Amino acid sequence: MALTMHNKEFANKQIMDSSKYVRYTPEQVEALERVYSECPKPSSLRRQQLIRECPILSNIEPKQIKVWFQNRRCREKQRKEASRLQTVNRKLSAMNKLLMEENDRLQKQVSHLVYENGYMRQQLHSAPATTTDNSCESVVMSGQHQQQQNPTPHHPQRDASNPAGLLAVAEETLAEFLSKATGTAVDWVQMIGMKPGPDSIGIVAVSRNCSGVAARACGLVSLDPTKIAEILKDCPSWFRDCRCLDVLSVIPTGNGGTIELIYMQTYAPTTLAAARDFWLLRYSTSLEDGSLVVCERSLTSSTGGPTGPPPSSFVRAEMLASGFLIRPCEGGGSIIHIVDHVDLDAWSVPEVLRPLYESSKILAQKMTMAAMRHIRQIAQETSGEIQYGGGRQPAVLRTFSQRLSRGFNDAINGFLDDGWSLLSSDGGEDVTVAINSSPNKFLGSQYNWSMLPAFGGVLCAKASMLLQNVPPALLVRFLREHRSEWADYGVDAYSAACLKASPYAVPCARPGGFPSSHVILPLAHTVEHEEFLEVVRLEGHAFSPEDVALARDMYLLQLCCGIDENTVGACAQLVFAPIDESFADDAPLLASGFRVIPLDSKAAMQDGPAASRTLDLASALEVGSGGARPAGGTELSNYNSRSVLTIAFQFTFENHMRDNVAAMARQYVRSVVGSVQRVAMAISPSRLGPHAGPKALPGSPEALTLARWISRSYRIHTGGELLRADSLTGDALLKQLWHHSDAIMCCSLKTNASPVFTFANQAGLDMLETTLVALQDIMLDKILDEAGRKILCSEFAKIMQQGFAYLPGGMCVSSMGRAVSYEQAVAWKVLDDDDSNHCLAFMFMNWSFV
């Protein structure tokens, strides 16, 4: 009897266990996996449908199938997390190896410096007293000793016109490059803000006290060495200043490597200087440890070798031993060392522009870091870590960016062999106008230009100017976000007409242009968000019947880079081109835009008097009346924040309208220059406060008073405390308001005009995506949606009578057109010291971008 009861309990337990744990057959698992691959999280109806359609699952309850999918998703999540952790572990191991090697190199450098210091001390102590007045000789000896620290290699006379002689040059180049990449041949100083890590760009350093300018980067990339070498050899794909790279000869070497003779042309960054070219030897080989090396150097009279093409309109620059070392990592990926070392012949340009050719930081941003970022971008695209919308392939989006940048560089440089020729001046030397009559070069051969027999070509109006104490990133970001401050809608409409069957009439200059707004639609961005590719929709509205033709939406493809204010030595650039609604992959792009490059020379950092002399000479090149400069120590600090701005706008024209379009282009560029000068004065850090940038704490007495009024009025009307401590006054009160987590902003209180924002804290500026300067261009009714405007209108009387009102959560729009949600808002009257109405304050709580 007891045995029978035990058997029944065991059978019941089995039934209970079977309802909790199910053992699936291979056929059932295969059927469930097929569904999981299509829909990892099926609904209840889908699971019931699955049971009906698959007879092999008919004996399984829907709840058990739900549990199977939950477990399957959990296993998939655990698998991905384990894979991610393994990848991070490999990166950390490789980075640890890299840092240990860097530490060894620094220790060698320290030992070398200690030895040199001891040697100098010994020489000073052993020098006889009678030689203490030989200052000139001491300087000469010191200079000779400095040359010993950074020697310029002297090559013996040899015949490098044959393969054996070229191989000797190549081996010397290889040795010099490796001594820079992993040794102490150059005194490297790490760039500010370059922190190593598994997801960072790597370790970036610039040269100090060496001939020419040099930069070095080393980091990790999840690509094999052969693929990396192939990418880096294709210089025009990642070096935006490379106009062309022609391999004129390829010579195989006995050790399995190759020697290439290369002619490379680069663009000039501004209209005020000539472009550079290089005659190079490139040596590709493998080392004993399996590493790949590609090194380059210029062939000169001292090195010997074949003579390169004549420079023509270019200035021949010299590349010292440079290149990249690629070492495979255990478990996949590679460690890359990149060295760029050039002498750009800075003495051939005006002294004020020499910082562009003497700054190692600019070289690091343009070449070294650009190469590293390009490789990391391709690596992440290959691994599927980056997803782009709009159905565009990453390679197509990169091509768009390259075409925009190349078109802008072509416009700035205006090379004769591209078909450019200068038009006669109208008497002013501030704007240069050039024409190009070969439309296929710019607009594509896929267009049938026989439909436009009067088409004359492309016209470019360009100008350069010097800016004082204006951060390039801040200026370009303002130009991007507030296009209406400088652009004319009629001119934009004319530019867009080049995509139509019949060109548009030349626009007349109208004060303020046509009313329009623009919406920025993100398209792609690079890994570190230093470059953005976006589509800009220009929305026009007509006030009169004759303006209806102009009041249509237009589109621009826009490339923006360098708007991070914390990046050192970066060029800030905004380039755009009109596109039509179809936006094909081979769409014609006629690029225009702005480029701002900081003038940060090594002379400015190391030699104060030299910087002062440069500033005095540069004063003659200022555009407009800049007024007298302060004397003394202020000059050097101002010089460190100087930059050069280059503007270029391109237009198509018909043959019979060429002169009219040229006059319009000159007038428009001068108008844009005037607008940029006004913007530059407004956003100068000297006007915003002691700190550069739009998020500097406003420290004027008016801001302090307004902060006190806002806090006091909130307490009077609501009975609550806006800030943590009521006893705070002055700067402390303003600082708390400025860094408040909720978005707080004030707008004007006028009955005869739309309320305009007058103040916002940092969170408010972030929510509106604007700056303190541009805040006054934003109206309250433009950021609120229709429901928000209705609620505010219904509560406005209550606010004016009671002093405040709580508004329900809702949606609003930033100045960039992005949707913002908030949980609740508070509106209250801000009273001045006389208890009179000063403005209206809003606080948007727990806001976020949708």
Side-chain angles (χ1 to χ4, degrees):
M1 184 71 179
L3 181 61
T4 304
M5 293 295 295
H6 182 269
N7 289 337
K8 287 183 178 180
E9 291 177 2
F10 181 75
N12 292 335
K13 184 176 181 181
Q14 270 194 323
I15 293 174
M16 290 178 62
D17 289 346
S18 65
S19 65
K20 186 178 297 184
Y21 305 105
V22 178
R23 185 177 297 277
Y24 296 90
T25 65
E27 293 79 9
Q28 290 173 332
V29 172
E30 182 180 357
L32 292 171
E33 287 287 353
R34 283 197 303 268
V35 177
Y36 181 84
S37 62
E38 299 173 359
C39 179
K41 194 173 182 179
S43 63
S44 176
L45 295 176
R46 181 70 181 91
R47 293 194 299 270
Q48 293 176 3
Q49 180 185 3
L50 176 63
I51 295 175
R52 290 194 301 268
E53 294 177 352
C54 295
I56 58 176
L57 300 176
S58 58
N59 63 333
I60 302 178
E61 296 293 331
K63 184 176 181 181
Q64 294 168 340
I65 292 181
K66 177 181 179 181
V67 171
W68 184 92
F69 277 97
Q70 289 175 344
N71 293 338
R72 181 65 177 81
R73 291 194 300 270
C74 184
R75 289 197 303 271
E76 181 70 16
K77 183 177 180 181
Q78 290 174 347
R79 185 190 64 80
K80 291 182 178 179
E81 180 65 14
S83 176
R84 187 189 69 83
L85 291 176
Q86 289 176 357
T87 302
V88 172
N89 183 59
R90 285 197 301 268
K91 289 182 178 179
L92 290 174
S93 299
M95 180 59 71
N96 181 59
K97 180 181 178 182
L98 189 63
L99 291 175
M100 290 176 65
E101 292 175 353
E102 181 70 7
N103 184 53
D104 291 340
R105 189 193 66 81
L106 291 175
Q107 286 182 351
K108 292 179 182 177
Q109 187 173 353
V110 168
S111 300
H112 178 74
L113 292 175
V114 169
Y115 171 78
E116 292 291 336
N117 184 46
Y119 175 79
M120 292 297 296
R121 286 177 178 272
Q122 182 181 0
Q123 291 295 316
L124 290 174
H125 286 298
S126 61
T130 56
T131 61
T132 56
D133 59 339
N134 293 339
S135 56
C136 295
E137 183 179 354
S138 301
V139 171
V140 172
M141 295 300 294
S142 175
Q144 291 176 352
H145 185 73
Q146 183 64 33
Q147 287 183 353
Q148 293 176 4
Q149 286 186 333
N150 297 281
T152 301
H154 297 282
H155 303 281
Q157 292 295 326
R158 59 179 169 230
D159 182 12
S161 59
N162 54 54
L166 288 176
L167 181 59
V169 176
E171 292 292 345
E172 289 179 359
T173 304
L174 174 62
E176 291 179 26
F177 162 70
L178 292 177
S179 67
K180 296 175 184 178
T182 60
T184 59
V186 174
D187 185 8
W188 297 112
V189 179
Q190 186 170 333
M191 284 187 66
I192 299 175
M194 297 289 109
K195 296 181 179 179
D199 296 320
S200 70
I201 191 174
I203 305 172
V204 182
V206 293
S207 62
R208 182 177 61 183
N209 298 330
C210 77
S211 58
V213 289
R216 188 194 67 159
C218 47
L220 310 174
V221 178
S222 57
L223 291 175
D224 63 273
T226 306
K227 179 66 174 177
I228 295 173
E230 177 186 344
I231 294 172
L232 290 179
K233 281 187 175 183
D234 184 17
C235 191
S237 68
W238 55 266
F239 183 29
R240 295 290 173 80
D241 283 355
C242 180
R243 186 192 182 209
C244 66
L245 187 146
D246 299 325
V247 180
L248 303 184
S249 179
V250 179
I251 305 170
T253 61
N255 57 4
T258 57
I259 294 176
E260 300 167 282
L261 300 181
I262 296 173
Y263 178 63
M264 182 173 70
Q265 294 178 348
T266 61
Y267 292 105
T270 176
T271 61
L272 303 176
R276 264 59 180 164
D277 67 350
F278 297 85
W279 173 236
L280 303 172
L281 177 145
R282 176 194 285 170
Y283 181 39
S284 305
T285 187
S286 300
L287 302 182
E288 295 180 355
D289 61 355
S291 302
L292 287 181
V293 180
V294 179
C295 54
E296 300 172 331
R297 76 164 311 130
S298 291
L299 290 177
T300 62
S301 58
S302 61
T303 62
T307 304
S312 62
S313 59
F314 292 81
V315 173
R316 181 61 51 87
E318 181 180 3
M319 178 179 291
L320 290 79
S322 305
F324 41 93
L325 167 67
I326 312 170
R327 296 185 296 172
C329 292
E330 296 180 3
S334 306
I335 296 179
I336 314 174
H337 296 259
I338 301 177
V339 173
D340 293 302
H341 193 175
V342 294
D343 185 349
L344 298 174
D345 191 12
W347 294 100
S348 64
V349 300
E351 189 174 358
V352 68
L353 295 179
R354 288 178 192 168
L356 299 182
Y357 300 86
E358 293 179 335
S359 173
S360 297
K361 297 175 184 176
I362 294 179
L363 177 71
Q365 292 286 350
K366 282 190 172 185
M367 289 190 68
T368 318
M369 296 173 65
M372 189 70 77
R373 286 178 175 136
H374 183 71
I375 300 170
R376 294 184 68 237
Q377 184 81 17
I378 294 180
Q380 295 201 13
E381 291 171 359
T382 305
S383 64
E385 298 179 38
I386 300 178
Q387 301 293 332
Y388 292 113
R392 305 277 181 176
Q393 293 296 323
V396 175
L397 297 175
R398 284 201 306 274
T399 302
F400 279 133
S401 300
Q402 292 166 5
R403 289 175 57 196
L404 280 173
S405 183
R406 184 178 185 85
F408 187 59
N409 277 323
D410 281 330
I412 290 175
N413 286 262
F415 293 113
L416 297 177
D417 57 355
D418 279 342
W420 288 100
S421 60
L422 293 177
L423 279 183
S424 57
S425 173
D426 62 348
E429 300 295 333
D430 54 337
V431 178
T432 302
V433 176
I435 60 171
N436 192 315
S437 299
S438 65
N440 289 342
K441 179 173 181 59
F442 297 93
L443 305 179
S445 58
Q446 71 273 18
Y447 289 84
N448 183 12
W449 294 106
S450 62
M451 298 173 56
L452 302 175
F455 183 82
V458 175
L459 180 146
C460 176
K462 50 193 174 181
S464 292
M465 58 186 290
L466 296 174
L467 300 176
Q468 182 77 29
N469 203 25
V470 178
L474 183 56
L475 176 60
V476 169
R477 188 164 63 191
F478 186 93
L479 296 175
R480 170 178 175 258
E481 298 175 359
H482 305 280
R483 185 179 179 86
S484 60
E485 292 293 327
W486 55 267
D488 184 277
Y489 189 83
V491 176
D492 287 334
Y494 176 81
S495 299
C498 69
L499 307 174
K500 307 298 180 182
S502 57
Y504 199 75
V506 179
C508 300
R510 304 191 185 188
F514 292 89
S516 66
S517 58
H518 75 287
V519 178
I520 297 178
L521 309 173
L523 193 61
H525 59 79
T526 49
V527 176
E528 297 183 341
H529 293 77
E530 76 279 350
E531 184 175 282
F532 299 88
L533 185 67
E534 49 205 15
V535 173
V536 181
R537 185 174 76 242
L538 304 178
E539 301 172 333
H541 310 280
F543 283 150
S544 59
E546 58 269 20
D547 295 338
V548 173
L550 288 176
R552 65 176 186 271
D553 287 356
M554 295 177 296
Y555 298 88
L556 302 174
L557 181 65
Q558 183 167 275
L559 178 69
C560 181
C561 59
I563 58 175
D564 183 2
E565 297 170 52
N566 297 320
T567 304
V568 180
C571 160
Q573 185 171 272
L574 183 70
V575 181
F576 45 85
I579 56 175
D580 58 14
E581 293 83 353
S582 62
F583 187 25
D585 291 349
D586 57 353
L589 299 178
L590 199 61
S592 304
F594 307 85
R595 174 182 293 158
V596 192
I597 309 177
L599 297 174
D600 183 12
S601 71
K602 58 184 181 181
M605 294 182 292
Q606 299 171 6
D607 191 350
S612 300
R613 290 194 298 272
T614 302
L615 184 61
D616 295 337
L617 182 61
S619 61
L621 295 179
E622 287 284 7
V623 178
S625 57
R629 289 185 179 84
T634 311
E635 288 185 343
L636 184 57
S637 62
N638 287 344
Y639 173 80
N640 286 337
S641 61
R642 292 169 67 88
S643 55
V644 57
L645 166 67
T646 300
I647 304 173
F649 283 85
Q650 297 191 80
F651 307 94
T652 57
F653 65 91
E654 293 180 326
N655 283 320
H656 65 285
M657 297 295 291
R658 190 189 74 175
D659 293 339
N660 290 349
V661 175
M664 179 272 294
R666 281 194 178 96
Q667 180 182 359
Y668 184 56
V669 170
R670 285 169 180 155
S671 171
V672 171
V673 168
S675 299
V676 170
Q677 287 178 325
R678 290 192 297 271
V679 170
M681 291 181 62
I683 66 177
S684 174
S686 60
R687 300 222 170 197
L688 292 179
H691 304 289
K695 295 184 179 180
L697 184 65
S700 63
E702 294 81 2
L704 297 174
T705 302
L706 180 61
R708 181 168 54 83
W709 290 349
I710 292 173
S711 177
R712 186 175 68 93
S713 301
Y714 185 87
R715 183 175 64 254
I716 292 174
H717 296 312
T718 66
E721 292 293 343
L722 179 64
L723 305 178
R724 289 193 303 268
D726 182 41
S727 59
L728 292 177
T729 58
D731 291 340
L733 183 69
L734 177 58
K735 186 174 181 180
Q736 268 206 30
L737 178 67
W738 182 252
H739 295 292
H740 199 282
S741 59
D742 294 323
I744 301 174
M745 51 196 76
C746 299
C747 62
S748 59
L749 198 58
K750 299 179 181 179
T751 57
N752 58 347
S754 299
V756 176
F757 287 106
T758 58
F759 172 82
N761 67 346
Q762 182 170 319
L765 296 178
D766 291 339
M767 190 185 89
L768 296 178
E769 293 188 294
T770 187
T771 64
L772 280 172
V773 177
L775 185 67
Q776 299 182 7
D777 298 331
I778 302 175
M779 291 184 290
L780 176 63
D781 58 350
K782 293 295 184 181
I783 73 160
L784 297 175
D785 61 359
E786 185 176 356
R789 288 193 292 268
K790 288 182 179 179
I791 293 174
L792 181 60
C793 289
S794 63
E795 297 288 335
F796 187 76
K798 179 180 178 182
I799 296 173
M800 299 305 295
Q801 180 179 3
Q802 182 177 308
F804 79 101
Y806 291 102
L807 309 179
M811 301 287 295
C812 60
V813 181
S814 74
S815 64
M816 306 299 294
R818 286 212 287 173
V820 182
S821 66
Y822 55 92
E823 291 185 3
Q824 190 184 28
V826 184
W828 71 95
K829 290 190 302 182
V830 176
L831 307 178
D832 59 17
D833 292 330
D834 298 328
D835 289 338
S836 301
N837 296 335
H838 177 73
C839 62
L840 197 62
F842 291 87
M843 181 167 61
F844 295 90
M845 304 178 187
N846 297 329
W847 64 272
S848 62
F849 290 109
V850 178

